[in-house]
């Protein structure tokens, strides 16, 4: 079998004064015709990604730009090609956006990007622009699971929830179910109107009871035949370790997944780490947002995004916030 050809593509996130983001539509005579995408194009031999992006945006939408910081670099496997999409923030220096090659374009509010049909490689870009980069996981409630232990857990969870826009997984597999439910209830009382996205580990009934998201383990993922009965407004996440896990998560329309272990960990010393190349190699098969987990710190976000991750997930990596 002939190996798919490799293509390096660079694209820009261009915003207008209202905060809307520019999308262009692929023409009817092109591959993936009719889909919307972030404007850009192929990196030609001898070009840096920055040079290619400046050239492509001038040719495609008539804008002279200054290339800024990376957003995410997405490896994506298509039937006929292996594509790497390198996405950067850009600042417009001159020009007015127009379809120089006859293509349609539109300005879209960030929260509406998901309504547009896009190539698979562009979907993780939308997530990187609109969803949290950190997914913190609470420590266990300490035995003997008494009032003191519950209060300690609530204080630790509150510390993790204090970062605006972060996702937090509520997890305590050692605690009796009634004590875990009480701890969640106490946490929600203390949070009040504070905005943070919470997911309950494994227990769909508790997630539904408190109106929170749900995080499945891989076993639950493969046992399920449909999405669980939690609110449609709340996310469904899953822990994945292998390609079949990721493919199953995407087929059940999970909202995001955690892929691990990326590096060696103290808690699972016998597990073989994926490494960053292994992470990227699995990332290219699916388009759902993937958090990297295992031996990582929030400072690893730049590396994670370079290999296609939505962000960093962890327990010990965020421990400094709750110790």
């Amino acid at each position: 079998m002939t190996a798919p050809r490799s293509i390096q593509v660079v694209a820009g996130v261009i915003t207008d004064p209202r905060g809307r983001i520019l999308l262009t539509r692929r023409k009817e005579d092109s591959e993936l015709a009719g889909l919307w995408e972030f404007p850009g194009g192929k990196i030609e031999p001898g070009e840096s990604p920055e040079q290619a992006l400046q050239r492509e945006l001038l040719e495609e939408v008539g804008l002279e730009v200054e290339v800024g910081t990376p957003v995410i670099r997405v490896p994506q496997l298509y039937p006929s090609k292996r594509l790497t999409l390198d996405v950067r923030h850009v600042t417009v220096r001159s020009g007015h956006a127009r379809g120089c090659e006859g293509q349609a374009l539109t300005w879209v509010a960030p929260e509406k990007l998901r309504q547009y049909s896009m190539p698979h490689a562009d979907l993780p870009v939308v997530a990187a622009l609109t969803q949290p980069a950190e997914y913190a996981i609470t420590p266990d409630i300490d035995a003997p699971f008494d009032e003191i232990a519950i209060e300690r857990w609530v204080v630790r969870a509150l510390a993790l929830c204090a970062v605006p826009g972060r996702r937090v997984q509520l997890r305590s597999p050692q605690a009796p179910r009634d004590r875990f439910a009480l701890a969640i209830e106490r946490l929600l009382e203390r949070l009040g109107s504070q905005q943070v996205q919470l997911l309950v580990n494994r227990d769909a009934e508790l997630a539904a009871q408190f109106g929170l998201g749900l995080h499945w383990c891989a076993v639950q993922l493969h046992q399920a035949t449909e999405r669980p009965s939690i609110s449609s407004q709340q996310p469904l996440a899953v822990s994945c370790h292998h390609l079949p896990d990721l493919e199953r998560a995407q087929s059940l329309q999970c909202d995001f997944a955690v892929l691990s272990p990326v590096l060696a960990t103290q808690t699972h010393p016998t597990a073989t780490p994926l490494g960053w190349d292994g992470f990227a190699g699995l990332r290219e098969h699916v388009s759902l947002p993937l958090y990297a987990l295992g031996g990582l710190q929030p400072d690893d976000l730049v590396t994670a995004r370079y290999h296609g991750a939505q962000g960093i997930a962890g327990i010990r990596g965020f421990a400094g916030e709750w110790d």
Side-chain angles (χ1 to χ4, degrees):
M1 180 182 295
T2 304
R5 70 189 194 280
S6 294
I7 298 176
Q8 304 292 317
V9 174
V10 64
V13 175
I14 304 168
T15 57
D16 71 0
R18 295 168 55 184
R20 298 177 303 174
I21 295 172
L22 182 65
L23 297 180
T24 58
R25 194 172 192 177
R26 297 184 67 86
K27 294 188 295 183
E28 293 304 319
D29 60 351
S30 66
E31 188 178 11
L32 304 176
L35 298 183
W36 294 90
E37 63 184 0
F38 297 92
K42 296 178 185 177
I43 301 174
E44 299 295 344
E47 284 186 320
S48 69
E50 293 79 9
Q51 290 170 333
L53 186 54
Q54 289 176 323
R55 174 184 55 77
E56 284 284 350
L57 293 182
L58 183 59
E59 294 174 354
E60 186 177 339
V61 293
L63 297 175
E64 291 189 2
V65 303
E66 180 179 338
V67 180
T69 56
V71 178
I72 190 172
R73 184 172 175 268
V74 183
Q76 190 70 51
L77 183 63
Y78 290 96
S80 62
K81 62 186 177 182
R82 174 170 274 114
L83 181 143
T84 301
L85 176 62
D86 184 351
V87 183
R88 311 289 184 94
H89 291 287
V90 300
T91 301
V92 176
R93 291 161 47 187
S94 65
H96 298 281
R98 63 189 191 279
C100 298
E101 299 172 348
Q103 76 279 30
L105 55 78
T106 187
W107 294 94
V108 182
E111 65 273 14
K112 295 182 178 180
L113 286 170
R114 294 182 64 185
Q115 298 176 13
Y116 286 75
S117 297
M118 294 184 173
H120 288 168
D122 290 74
L123 298 178
V125 184
V126 173
L129 292 170
T130 60
Q131 298 183 36
E134 294 182 350
Y135 186 34
I137 304 169
T138 65
D140 274 325
I141 302 172
D142 298 323
F145 315 112
D146 56 13
E147 288 292 326
I148 294 174
I150 289 176
E151 174 63 17
R152 183 183 301 115
W153 183 88
V154 170
V155 169
R156 288 172 166 178
L158 283 169
L160 294 177
C161 293
V163 176
R166 175 186 281 173
R167 285 171 162 147
V168 177
Q169 181 188 147
L170 307 180
R171 179 181 180 275
S172 185
Q174 305 302 319
R177 190 171 185 273
D178 63 330
R179 307 307 287 173
F180 186 38
L182 178 60
I184 295 174
E185 183 178 352
R186 299 269 177 88
L187 171 64
L188 295 178
E189 289 172 354
R190 298 273 281 276
L191 279 174
S193 60
Q194 184 174 331
Q195 296 297 310
V196 60
Q197 191 175 82
L198 302 175
L199 294 89
V200 177
N201 178 257
R202 301 193 183 195
D203 195 320
E205 291 184 8
L206 283 183
Q209 175 183 334
F210 291 109
L212 303 178
L214 176 65
H215 187 106
W216 269 341
C217 69
V219 172
Q220 289 175 304
L221 170 68
H222 289 286
Q223 290 175 340
T225 57
E226 59 184 13
R227 190 180 176 93
S229 57
I230 60 172
S231 169
S232 60
Q233 304 303 312
Q234 293 295 339
L236 173 64
V238 63
S239 294
C240 296
H241 310 286
H242 310 285
L243 180 56
D245 298 342
L246 293 173
E247 292 174 334
R248 181 67 174 162
Q250 184 150 292
S251 70
L252 286 177
Q253 299 184 325
C254 294
D255 294 289
F256 66 91
V258 174
L259 182 57
S260 70
V262 177
L263 304 180
T265 67
Q266 297 179 32
T267 51
H268 299 89
T270 61
T272 302
L274 295 168
W276 283 116
D277 288 344
F279 180 96
L282 293 174
R283 149 89 283 170
E284 71 177 7
H285 291 274
V286 294
S287 59
L288 74 167
L290 298 183
Y291 287 90
L293 171 69
L296 304 174
Q297 308 287 330
D299 289 346
D300 292 310
L301 178 61
V302 172
T303 301
R305 284 280 175 92
Y306 182 82
H307 291 89
Q310 169 70 19
I312 300 297
I315 301 176
R316 292 180 180 274
F318 296 90
E321 301 179 23
W322 48 261
D323 275 343

